[in-house]
Amino acid sequence: MQMRARELDQQGGFPVEDMTFLHGCGALRVFGGQDVAPRELFESLRLVGRGNLSVGRVFEGHVNGARLVSWYGDAGQRGRLSKQLEAGEVYGVWNTEKPPGVRLAASSGQTTLVGAKCFATGAGYIDHVIVTAATEDGGKQMVIADANHLDRADASGWCVRGMKATLSGLYDLTGLPVNAETRLGAPGDYEREPRFSGGAWRFTAVQLGGVERILSLLRDHLTTSPAGDDPVHRARFGLALASVRSAYLWVREAAERAEAPTAGPAEIAFVLMTRGVVERAGLQAISVAERSVGTRAFFEDNPLDQACRDLSLYLRQPAPDQALDRAAAAFLAEDCWRDDPLW
C-alpha cells in the first residue's frame, strides 16, 4: 500500500488494487463480519492506516456499513451481506449532505430517494452504501443503495491537499429504490447509542496508523542523517514517541470498552476523549517531523509530505473540538475511566 500511495496521490485515482488485496487476504469478509475480537479489528484498521490513510478510510467505511446491516438488517439483508462479503464487494456509509439533503419521496405507489450526498467516500467505485434520508416527519431512515454508478458520481469538487484517493465527491441518489430490500432498520437507528458515538474508535484506529507512519518516517530520517546526533532532535522525537504510544494505548482500550456488551455513556465519553488524544498526537508528530526534517519534508517526492497532508485532513473528521467538549463535560460529571476513578 505504501508503495502505491504516491502514485494514487499524484493521479487522484481510487485504490482499486488495494481493495482487491484486502479482498484476497480475506480482510473485507472477516472484518466486515461480527465474529471478530475488538483487538483484532483495532490492529487491522491501524495497520491499513499505516499503509495508506485513504485506503484506511475506505476500509473503515466498509466495516461500518457492513456492521450497520448486521445490526439492523432483517434475515434477507444479512444473508445478502454474507454473500457480498464473500464476493469482495465493498460497503460504505454516507451521511453528509448539503441542504435540503436526501429525502424519501413517494410517487405512484413507489418510494425512492431524492437528493445527493457530499464527501461521499469512494463514490462510483464502492459497491453498496448506507445512506440516511429524511422522512416526512423529520426522522432519519437508513437505506442501502447502489454506490458504483460512475454516472451518478462527481469528484470534480474533491480538490484537496490530502486523502485524494478516497475520491470523496458528490453522489446523486435520486431515483434509487426504497423498499423492503433496501430500507434498513427503523428511523433513528443510525444514531442509536452507544454504537453511533462509540463506533468513532474505529476511525481513530486508522488515524493512529497514519500518526505511526509519520513517526516511523521521522525515525528513518534521524537514524540515517547527522540530525540523529543532535540532542534537540532526539528530544523532539522522544516527546512525539511518548505521545504516539500513549495514543496507541488509548485507542486499544477504547476498542475494548466500546465493543463491550455493557457499553454505555461512560464508554462513549472514553471514545470521545480518545479522539482528542489521537488528534494531539498526530499534530505533534506532524510538527516534530517537519521541524526535524526541515525543507525536505515538503518536497513531493518525500513520503513524509503525503503522510502529513493526508493525516492533517483526516484529523478534521468530524468536529473534534465538539467531541472533546462532550468528553470533558462527561468526565466533570463523573470519572468515566471507571477502573480506578479519581473522583
Side-chain angles (χ1 to χ4, degrees):
M1 291 183 189
Q2 291 177 353
M3 295 177 63
R4 288 187 290 268
R6 182 185 175 193
E7 180 181 355
L8 289 169
D9 179 66
Q10 292 177 335
Q11 298 178 357
F14 188 76
V16 175
E17 290 184 54
D18 296 293
M19 300 312 296
T20 300
F21 168 77
L22 291 176
H23 167 48
C25 70
L28 294 181
R29 174 183 57 82
V30 172
F31 295 107
Q34 293 294 295
D35 298 327
V36 57
R39 182 73 63 86
E40 293 176 353
L41 180 56
F42 158 69
E43 292 290 358
S44 71
L45 292 166
R46 180 176 70 94
L47 293 176
V48 174
R50 288 188 73 171
N52 186 337
L53 276 180
S54 288
V55 179
R57 174 69 189 93
V58 178
F59 180 50
E60 191 275 330
H62 168 76
V63 172
N64 189 10
R67 288 194 157 204
L68 287 171
V69 177
S70 296
W71 288 331
Y72 302 114
D74 58 29
Q77 290 169 331
R78 294 194 302 271
R80 284 189 292 275
L81 170 67
S82 179
K83 294 178 180 179
Q84 291 161 347
L85 293 178
E86 287 285 350
E89 297 180 19
V90 181
Y91 267 77
V93 180
W94 300 339
N95 182 44
T96 308
E97 58 194 14
K98 297 179 180 178
V102 176
R103 67 183 191 280
L104 304 181
S107 178
S108 302
Q110 294 182 333
T111 302
T112 62
L113 294 170
V114 175
K117 292 292 184 180
C118 60
F119 298 153
T121 297
Y125 290 91
I126 62 174
D127 299 289
H128 315 282
V129 66
I130 311 303
V131 298
T132 51
T135 61
E136 289 186 359
D137 59 0
K140 185 177 287 190
Q141 172 68 51
M142 287 188 291
V143 178
I144 306 172
D146 292 337
N148 55 2
H149 298 293
L150 283 172
D151 57 337
R152 291 179 174 272
D154 179 10
S156 62
W158 187 239
C159 301
V160 289
R161 294 180 58 246
M163 305 288 285
K164 296 178 183 179
T166 63
L167 292 181
S168 301
L170 288 168
Y171 193 87
D172 186 5
L173 297 155
T174 302
L176 292 179
V178 180
N179 51 41
E181 289 189 359
T182 63
R183 190 186 296 265
L184 181 62
D189 279 347
Y190 176 72
E191 295 179 339
R192 189 176 299 279
E193 298 290 12
R195 289 170 173 166
F196 179 65
S197 298
W201 78 262
R202 293 189 298 270
F203 70 71
T204 68
V206 181
Q207 291 172 340
L208 174 65
V211 181
E212 292 173 337
R213 169 67 170 156
I214 292 174
L215 189 70
S216 296
L217 290 170
L218 172 58
R219 177 189 175 274
D220 291 344
H221 170 73
L222 294 177
T223 56
T224 57
S225 72
D229 297 324
D230 188 327
V232 174
H233 290 305
R234 288 200 301 266
R236 289 174 181 161
F237 174 77
L239 292 173
L241 171 63
S243 182
V244 173
R245 294 309 281 174
S246 296
Y248 169 89
L249 296 173
W250 271 85
V251 180
R252 191 179 70 181
E253 183 73 10
E256 297 283 358
R257 295 187 182 214
E259 296 295 310
T262 57
E267 285 68 37
I268 291 174
F270 193 97
V271 171
L272 294 175
M273 188 67 75
T274 299
R275 289 185 53 188
V277 172
V278 174
E279 181 193 19
R280 289 188 294 277
L283 294 175
Q284 182 176 9
I286 291 171
S287 175
V288 167
E290 291 178 346
R291 293 176 70 185
S292 289
V293 178
T295 304
R296 283 173 292 178
F298 297 88
F299 276 70
E300 292 181 351
D301 62 349
N302 189 328
L304 187 59
D305 172 64
Q306 181 190 347
C308 291
R309 286 188 286 106
D310 284 353
L311 182 62
S312 294
L313 177 57
Y314 202 0
L315 288 175
R316 296 307 100 212
Q317 175 192 329
D321 294 330
Q322 182 188 56
L324 177 59
D325 178 59
R326 287 177 58 194
F331 271 86
L332 281 172
E334 62 173 324
D335 189 349
C336 299
W337 195 272
R338 283 190 172 177
D339 293 353
D340 184 17
L342 296 172
W343 54 84

